[in-house]
Amino acid sequence: RRSVISNGSFLGAELLKRLVLVDRPPFFLLSMDAVSEERYRSIRRTANHAKVMTALETLSHLQDTLGRKDLVTWNYVVMKSNFSEMELAMDLAERWGIHLNFAPIQGMYPEENLFLFPELMDREDLMVRLATMEHRARNSRVRITGFSGMRQRLSNRDASKPDLAQTVISNT
């Protein structure tokens, strides 16, 4: 099966229809790391929020039209600045009937990578909030995934050298 992996900013409704309304439509993985336009702009540094939202919503409607549940997955990279919007993302995914995957941020970002830098968020608070969302996800009518990966990254963070974050901050 073919795949389209995109931030969705160039996937207008007409193009999506041409790509999807065929015998064997591709799978779409669209990345959107925020729900609110303000947060999206601060993360992506672009004004494409409305375009990406429209692409996700259009794919949702096309998925319904085809009677499928596997046409589109929304990939949401979780970081400090968008953690507070995860539940809003879950609301939208449920409303649109699309799969949502939460992927922990990768890389040395001392202001954003809460999976690597413990000072960014209290571990217990983070674990409780993730557990609450995961419980909700289990009862959702759509697939919401990624919680095990976030827990694993937190376990790795806790097992790593305590001076790793300080070393990275010192070197920047």
Side-chain angles (χ1 to χ4, degrees), residues 17-133:
K17 287 176 188 172
R18 285 197 316 268
L19 291 170
V20 170
L21 299 176
V22 295
D23 287 338
R24 293 179 2 164
F27 164 76
F28 291 83
L29 178 68
L30 265 61
S31 294
M32 183 159 164
D33 305 330
V35 175
S36 71
E37 184 174 359
E38 178 183 349
R39 188 72 34 99
Y40 179 87
R41 279 180 188 257
S42 73
I43 293 169
R44 291 287 178 150
R45 310 243 189 267
T46 68
N48 294 327
H49 179 265
K51 291 177 182 178
V52 181
M53 291 288 275
T54 299
L56 282 166
E57 193 167 16
T58 300
L59 284 166
S60 162
H61 292 305
L62 290 167
Q63 181 172 269
D64 285 346
T65 298
L66 295 174
R68 298 183 64 162
K69 301 253 185 241
D70 63 347
L71 184 66
V72 60
T73 293
W74 173 4
N75 194 62
Y76 185 107
V77 176
V78 178
M79 59 193 86
K80 181 184 178 199
S81 62
N82 69 4
F83 188 85
S84 63
E85 292 193 357
M86 288 174 67
E87 291 191 81
L88 294 172
M90 293 171 74
D91 293 340
L92 272 179
E94 287 176 330
R95 184 171 63 187
W96 289 335
I98 63 173
H99 176 205
L100 172 62
N101 180 64
F102 290 121
I105 187 172
Q106 303 287 323
M108 297 291 183
Y109 299 99
E111 292 88 29
E112 289 290 351
N113 193 337
L114 50 88
F115 302 98
L116 187 58
F117 297 94
E119 65 276 9
L120 294 178
M121 188 178 287
D122 176 73
R123 184 189 193 287
E124 290 308 311
D125 181 44
L126 183 55
M127 293 301 282
V128 166
R129 292 171 70 185
L130 287 174
T132 301
M133 286 185 267

Side-chain angles (χ1 to χ4, degrees), residues 143-159:
R143 283 187 19 214
I144 301 174
T145 59
F147 294 99
S148 61
M150 288 185 283
R151 279 195 314 276
Q152 181 62 46
R153 291 285 305 282
L154 286 170
S155 294
N156 292 348
R157 175 186 90 174
D158 296 341

